[in-house]
Amino acid sequence: MSKSSNTKLKRRNVLVDEVGGTEQVTYSSDYEENTGFSQKIINWIKRRLRAWVESLVFVGIAYFVVVQTSFVELSMSDEINKFFFYVGLVCFFSSSIIGLFFSLWLKFGLGVDVDDWEKYAPRSVPAATLFGVLSFVFFIIAYWPAYSILTPFILGILYWGLMNVLVLLPF
């Protein structure tokens, strides 16, 4: 092996003890010196893994609440106020369609950066927020006859679980 290729593979590190004057020679490879990049990758994986685990916990809690409160069966029964339920569904789907517009069309279709979304659709963010808040309020009114004072807490857990499902999606 030539001298130049040898220096690329290993670097000689010399540490001199000030008091005794002894030398300690160690060799390090380029891989060991470039751990900053690999550390960034490891930190990114840790953050993504933590986000996935947290999302799975919240989705699991929401699923538990749906099962224990018979939420699906109750939604199909006459125990809830159907008018406000349907108005809440319209508001919820309106908010969801605006969210899909942002996340799919602007991001992937047009390649717009997240910071520039308000330039392309300046009224969409306030509209989505308004529809989201109205759907929550209408759902509270709709489910109040069945759950009474627990309605905001149950719906809050379900909304939180739904938002965490979005973290688990691949895009």
Side-chain angles (χ1 to χ4, degrees):
M1 196 177 266
S2 69
K3 186 176 180 180
S4 63
S5 64
N6 191 18
T7 57
K8 287 183 181 177
L9 293 176
K10 294 189 177 187
R11 292 198 175 119
R12 183 176 178 202
N13 299 325
V14 179
L15 297 173
V16 178
D17 188 8
E18 296 278 331
V19 178
T22 58
E23 287 187 359
Q24 179 183 3
V25 178
T26 59
Y27 292 94
S28 64
S29 65
D30 288 338
Y31 175 75
E32 292 171 354
E33 292 180 6
N34 291 328
T35 56
F37 179 72
S38 61
Q39 192 63 35
K40 288 179 184 178
I41 292 174
I42 291 171
N43 289 338
W44 181 81
I45 291 172
K46 285 181 182 179
R47 283 193 313 271
R48 292 299 301 159
L49 186 62
R50 181 177 178 184
W52 267 67
V53 170
E54 288 175 358
S55 295
L56 284 175
V57 167
F58 286 121
V59 169
I61 291 170
Y63 178 76
F64 178 77
V65 168
V66 166
V67 170
Q68 292 300 317
T69 60
S70 304
F71 189 79
V72 176
E73 293 85 11
L74 185 66
S75 298
M76 296 179 197
S77 72
D78 290 334
E79 293 181 45
I80 63 171
N81 190 332
K82 289 292 186 177
F83 174 75
F84 287 108
F85 175 73
Y86 292 134
V87 174
L89 277 179
V90 168
C91 290
F92 176 77
F93 284 120
S94 299
S95 177
S96 299
I97 288 171
I98 294 171
L100 287 173
F101 166 74
F102 277 126
S103 62
L104 296 179
W105 178 247
L106 284 182
K107 184 176 181 182
F108 295 117
L110 298 177
V112 177
D113 191 33
V114 176
D115 297 331
D116 296 332
W117 282 356
E118 287 196 24
K119 293 177 186 173
Y120 283 86
R123 294 191 178 123
S124 296
V125 173
T129 304
L130 178 69
F131 283 132
V133 170
L134 284 177
S135 70
F136 189 71
V137 169
F138 287 138
F139 282 144
I140 287 174
I141 295 170
Y143 284 97
W144 192 268
Y147 298 129
S148 66
I149 195 72
L150 293 176
T151 305
F153 300 110
I154 291 171
L155 290 177
I157 291 171
L158 295 182
Y159 267 71
W160 193 258
L162 181 65
M163 291 300 120
N164 278 283
V165 166
L166 299 176
V167 174
L168 300 175
L169 296 177
F171 55 85

